[in-house]
Every structure is written in structure tokens, then in C-alpha cells.
Amino acid sequence: MIAVVGSLNLDLVVPVPGHPVPGETVLGGDIALHPGGKGANQAVAAARLGGNAALVGRIGEDGAAGVLLDAVREEGVDTTHIARTPGVPTGRALIAVDPAGENSIIVSPGANSRLGAADCEAAEDLLRKAAVTVLQQEVPDEANHAAARLAGGIVLHNPAPAVAGAVPPPHVDLLVPNRTELAALSGRPVPETVEDVVAAARGLTWAAAVTVTLGGDGVLLLEGASHLHIPAFPVRPVDTTAAGDSFCGALAVALAEGRTLEEAVRWACAAAAISTTRAGAQPSLARRDEVEAFLAR
Ligand code: ADP
């Protein structure tokens, strides 16, 4: 069992000719609605890869809540621990995309911001039994700390997005930042070279192991005094949205199946590479048979 503690957002995507400056109104194209949120994306990523995934989260009582609940349920995610918050809107992300593909995003966390320690305590049975508990930073630190404390298995923390002032749990088994998130956690500039990444990750002694995702450059895996560079699979990416979510979900599945960290990272790189070849967040996430076929090429 994989327990994901995290956010559910309805993504509202509007194409715009250019991003508005303060005081300006721009007319955009037709709006598209997509289920999103890092918690939901990672739970769906795990479920699609054959993981037995459950999501601990909060939604409101509005129309968006039903859309998001149906979306994760249809993927086979256990929704028992998704609670309703009366009088608070479901999380939404307002995303404007210009013709160059540049995004500007406003996230209104809504119900996600009400997830607390009590929600994790209510899910104690799940968290104790889960082989892997997966955390991110779109819900309050308090929820992540409680989940890490109650987790009976591996705690995987993806410190995304890089929120200023976020306090990660005092101990995690596996930390999965990208370069920007590593910079935020280490208080250093965004690392450019392998040496920079190693130096920044080494300071994070509260994490037993660190896998730094480097986009098309793959992953740097640090465990104890050793580090290993695992290259990305060569693909033609069309949209790297949710590559990190795909990677985290896949890593959780592989670790829950008892693979070594190095094997798990390679497998997760394959799942993430596939996701970059398709548009969107949840629609791009790979299925298990696709990963097996990709690796057997
Ligand atoms: P995030 O989306 O969190 O910024 P990254 O961009 O580092 O995360 O991507 C996560 C993982 O997805 C990478 O470690 C890599 O395995 C895979 N990936 C991302 N971009 C590419 C790419 N262009 N080609 C192949 N794999 C990629």
C-alpha cells in the first residue's frame, strides 16, 4: 500500500495572447478544466503503475470537489481519507499560457490549506501499514509532520513546490527535490554542476537518502557517502508538466515492491520519460505495461 498525503486542485487553463500586467485585462481563449494537484497527480501516477494507492487530502463541497474525487476514484485510488471541508472552496490553480508556452499560475489552495495533523491521525491505520508514505508541499507542514511521525514504512518527501519558509519533517527516508527545490532547502544558489548538487544535498542530513531530479539530465542519487548519476532516458519531450509527479509516484511503487533504491530510480526515470512525451499532467502519466514495453525496447 502507498499512502499519498497531499493536494487536490482543479486546474483552470486559459490560453492568453500575453500575460496581463497589473490593472490590465486580456481576453483569452477557451478555458480547459483538468484534475491536478501534486498529491492527486502522484496518487494517480502510482495507481496507474499498479500501486495500491490511497490519498489523504481535503476538498470542499463545491462542484470542483466532485470532479476531483471522481477523477482519482476512476483511476483506482482509495479515497476513504479524502475529507470534505464545509464552507471552503476546493483547491484551484488558475493557469494562463501564452503562445510561447510560458505559464503564469495562481494557486488558491482552499481546502488543501485546511489539511492538518488530525486528518493524518484519522488515517493512522493506513499510514502505519503503508510500505511508502509520499509527501509534498501543497498542504500545511503540520500535516506532513504528522504523517511522517505516523508512517510505518518509507517516508518519501518531494519538497515541491519550493515554498519559502516551509519546514520539512525532521527526518525523511528519501528526499526527492529538483534543482530549484534543493536550492530552497539548502539556502544555496541553484546548483549547476554535479559537485554543486552533491555539496547542497550533503548538507541535508535529516534525509537518509536524496535523489535530485535534473530534468533531461536524469537523477543524482546520494546515499551515505556515495553518489551515483543515473541518466535520463532519451525521448522527445513535448510537455514536461508532471514529470516530477510521475517520477515520485513511480518511485513509491518500485520501493513498495521491494526494489533497491537504484533499481527504483531507473524504473521511475522510465515512467517519467514516458510522461514527458505526452501533453498535460494526469493524462500524461504512464501505465505499467507502457513502462515495461519501454524498458524492453
Ligand atoms: P520536476 O518536474 O519536478 O521539475 P524534473 O524536470 O527534474 O522534475 O523531472 C523529473 C524526472 O523526469 C527527471 O529526473 C527525469 O527522469 C524525467 N525527465 C524530465 N525531463 C526529461 C526529459 N527531457 N527527457 C527524459 N526524461 C526527463
Side-chain angles (χ1 to χ4, degrees):
M1 175 72 89
I2 294 157
V4 180
V5 177
S7 56
L8 301 97
N9 286 327
L10 186 62
D11 293 346
L12 312 175
V13 185
V14 187
V16 290
H19 294 282
V21 297
E24 186 187 2
T25 299
V26 296
L27 289 182
D30 292 345
I31 195 163
L33 274 54
H34 303 293
K38 288 185 180 295
N41 290 349
Q42 295 184 9
V44 169
R48 228 176 256 179
L49 292 166
N52 193 358
L55 180 56
V56 180
R58 280 204 166 262
I59 51 178
E61 291 182 325
D62 46 13
V67 172
L68 298 183
L69 203 54
D70 287 349
V72 288
R73 203 176 265 154
E74 275 165 21
E75 297 285 349
V77 174
D78 179 345
T79 59
T80 312
H81 296 286
I82 299 178
R84 300 270 188 168
T85 316
V88 177
T90 297
R92 286 173 176 78
L94 315 177
I95 305 172
V97 188
D98 73 13
E102 197 76 43
N103 289 339
S104 60
I105 304 179
I106 300 172
V107 175
S108 168
N112 295 306
S113 69
R114 295 348 189 241
L115 193 75
D119 294 303
C120 296
E121 280 149 17
E124 180 169 354
D125 250 21
L126 164 72
L127 295 167
R128 289 223 179 279
K129 284 189 202 134
V132 184
T133 291
V134 184
L135 314 172
Q136 324 80 33
Q137 291 187 164
E138 282 185 341
V139 295
D141 292 344
E142 178 200 312
N144 282 341
H145 288 223
R149 184 166 39 80
L150 294 166
I154 296 166
V155 176
L156 187 166
H157 182 44
N158 173 221
V163 183
V167 181
H171 177 79
V172 304
D173 299 299
L174 180 56
L175 184 70
V176 189
N178 65 15
R179 280 182 224 256
T180 318
E181 293 145 9
L182 178 60
L185 285 172
S186 62
R188 291 165 174 254
V190 175
E192 297 294 340
T193 64
V194 167
E195 290 71 32
D196 292 345
V197 173
V198 171
R202 285 259 183 273
L204 308 175
T205 50
W206 44 273
V210 185
T211 63
V212 184
T213 64
L214 307 169
D217 292 330
V219 172
L220 198 73
L221 166 56
L222 296 101
E223 213 178 357
S226 63
H227 67 266
L228 178 68
H229 178 234
I230 296 173
F233 287 90
V235 289
R236 278 217 192 96
V238 298
D239 178 2
T240 59
T241 310
D245 292 336
S246 171
F247 182 81
C248 290
L251 199 52
V253 171
L255 292 172
E257 290 173 0
R259 298 189 199 219
T260 65
L261 185 51
E262 188 182 329
E263 285 168 355
V265 167
R266 288 187 200 281
W267 199 72
C269 280
I274 294 169
S275 79
T276 69
T277 64
R278 301 195 285 235
Q282 290 182 18
S284 74
L285 300 169
R287 292 191 321 269
R288 190 175 188 103
D289 57 341
E290 292 176 309
V291 176
E292 301 305 347
F294 181 84
L295 288 170
R297 288 172 314 165

